[in-house]
Amino acid sequence: MYGLTIFMTLLAFRPSPVVNFKVVDNPNDGGGRILITWDYAPDADLSEVDHLELLRIDKPGEGAIVVTRLSTVARQFTDSGLKNGKPYRYFLRVWFKDGSYIDTPISPPVVPKAQWFHTKRIVGLVILVLYGTLLMIFLKKAKRGEELTIRPIAGLQAVDDAVGRSTEMGRPLLFVLGLGTISDLATLAGLAILKRVAMKAAEYETDIIVPCFDPVVMAAAQETVKQGYLEAGRPDLFNEKSVYFLTQDQFGYAAGVDGIIMRQKPGAIFLQGAFFAESLIIAETGHSVGAIQIAGTSSVTQLPFLIAATDYTLIGEEMYAASAYLSRDPNSLATIKAEDWMKVIFIVLILIAVAFETASAITGNKSLSIFPKLFEFN
Amino acid sequence: MKREIPLLITFIAGFLIVVALFIPHPPFNKIEETFNSWYIIVAGFTFILGIDSLILHNWEKIRRRSEGWPFALTVILSFFITLIWGIVSGVRTGHIFSTNSTFRNYFYLYIYVPLQATMFAILSFFIASAAYRAFRARTLNATLLLLTASIVMLGRVPLGNVALIPVISIAVLMLLWVLVDELKYVTSPTQRLIYIGIAVVAVVAAFPITKFLYHNLSPVTDWIMNVPQMAAKRGLFIGLALGGIAVSLRIILGIEQSYMS
C-alpha cells in the first residue's frame, strides 16, 4: 500500500511530454475553426504514451468535452464547426500506457473569426495587379492603333492549309474537343479554333464533323460552327447534325471517334481541348488514315504523346493564344502582349531566385533564402 | 441586349470568383461552391440535349441506311438495353450496384469493364508505334530524345542496368554499321576523317559509359526526371498559368466572345 502511494506520487510528478501547446484562430479562413499546435519535449519518451486527447471547454465552469483522440504522430489539429465570436479553451490530455494521464495547462480563451484577406495569397494579388496594369497599357496602345506583333505559331498557321488539303482530297474535317467541360479553358480555346475552322470549311464547302463528349460543349460547339458558317456567308451549308453528342465515357468516346476516323477517313483532324489517356488512341488512328493532324492541349502529361503522333502541336499557352492569333483583334493581342511581358518578369525573378538560393546554399546563410517563402501560395 | 446580358453575367460571375480567391470571409468563401452547384444543375438538364442528339443522329443513319448503319443500330439498342436493365435491376435490388444486381454482375462486370479495359489496352500498341516514329534518330533532337528515353526506360525497370550492356553494344554496332555504310558515299577526306573519328570515339567511349551507367543508372534516371524534365514541365506550367489568366481576363472583360457565338 505504501509502495503504491509512492508510485502514484512519482507518476503525479511525471513531466508532460507536450510542450509549446498553442491555440490560435485558424488563419485565412471563413471562421469557425481553431488551430491547435504542440511539440514534444526532446527528452520525452513517447513509447510510454498511449494516445492523446484534445479537450475543449465551451463555457467557463462547464466540463470539458473530448474533441478528438490522436496518436503521438500528430503535431496539430484544426477544430472546425465552431461558432464565430464565441470563446473556446483547450487542453491536451496525454494518456500513458499504464493508465495514468497528465494534462497540459488550459489555454487562454480563443475566439474564431472570419478574415477579410487571405495573407498567403498576397503574391497572387500582386501578380494580378501587375498583369492588369500591363494589360491596360497594351489595351491603350491597341486603341491608339499601334501594331502589336506576336511570334508566328506554326500549328495555327497550318489550320488553313489543313482545311484546304482536306478539301482537295474530298474528305471531311474532324474536330475533337476532348473530354473537357465548358468551364475548362482548353475547351474554350478549342471553341475559338473551331470557329475559324468552321469559317474555312464553309468557305471551301467542306463537311465538318464535331463529335462531343459533353452535352453543354455540344450546344456551344453547334452555335460556334453555325456562327462560323454565318460569318463566312454560307449559313445554307450549316448542318446542325454534324455536331453531335457521342458519349460521356472516356474510352467509349475514344472508340466512337476512332470509328468515325476509320469510316469517314477525314483529311484533317483537329484535336483541341482537354485530353487524357485517349489522346494517343485517337491521334494514332488519325495517323493511320493519313490525315493531317493539328493538336493542342493544356494537359501537360498528354503533350509528349500528341507531339509524337500529330503533325503540329499547340503547346500549352499557344493554344490559349489561338483566338487572338487567328482573329488578329488588337484587344485580344493586347492580352497576349501583357502575358509575354509577365513571362519576362517571371524569367528575371527566377534568375534572381536561383542566384539567391545558390548563394544561400553555398554560404549557409538561411536569410538569403527568401523566395520559396515569398512565392508560397496556399 | 442578346449579347450584353450574358456578357454582364460573365463579368459579374468572373469578377466574384477572382475576388473570392483573396477574401475568405463569408459569403465570398462559398461563391465558387455555389456556382459549381448551379453548373451541375444546369449540366444535368443539358443531358437531355445529349441523349436527344445521340438518338436522332443514329436514327437518321439507320433510316438512310448510310455507311455503317449497323453500328448506329448497335448504339441505339445498347442505349435502351442499358437504360431498361439498369432501371429494372435498380428497382428490384434497391441499388443498381448492389451485389445481387444482375446489371452489375452481368452487364457492368462482364461487358462494360472488359470493353473499357480493351480500349485502354490498345494504348500500349499505339504507344509503341508513336514511340517508334518519335525516336527515329533522324535529327539531333530526335537522337537526344532516343538516348534520354532509353536511359529513363532502362532505369525504371528491374535489372535495367543488366539489360543496359546488350542495349549499348547493339547501339554501338548499329552506329558503326551506319557510319561504314555512309562512308562509301563520302568523297571528301576531311569528312571521311570525321566519320572515322566518330566511330573511334563511339567504340572507345562505349565501355566507360556502360560502366558508369551500370553503377549509376538509378541516380542518372532520377536526375533526368527531377532536373531537366521537371524544369521543362514547370516552364510549361508557368506559361499555362499566364495563358490561363490571359484567357480568363479576355472572357471576364468581354474581349473574347467566341464561346457564346
Side-chain angles (χ1 to χ4, degrees), chain A residues 9 61 67 82 92 127 131 152 168 202 219 243 271 283 294 309 311 343 369:
Chain A
T9 313
V67 178
L82 306 171
L92 262 180
I127 290 168
Y131 202 119
E168 281 172 11
V243 184
L271 304 170
I294 302 176
D311 300 286
K343 258 186 258 172
S369 177

Side-chain angles (χ1 to χ4, degrees), chain A residues 118 121 249 284 320 323 335, chain B residues 21 112 116 129 250 256:
Chain A
H118 200 302
R121 291 182 180 169
D249 179 83
E284 275 298 280
Y320 292 155
S323 77
T335 63
Chain B
L21 187 69
Y112 184 78
Q116 283 226 320
S129 63
R250 282 207 296 272
E256 169 78 64

Side-chain angles (χ1 to χ4, degrees), chain B residues 3 5 10 22 26 36 48 55 67 69 82 85 88 109 111 132 155 158 221:
Chain B
R3 285 191 94 76
I5 292 175
T10 309
F22 302 104
N36 280 338
I48 299 164
I55 292 170
E67 195 195 351
W69 70 268
T82 311
W85 195 349
V88 171
L109 292 180
I111 298 174
Y132 170 72
T221 306

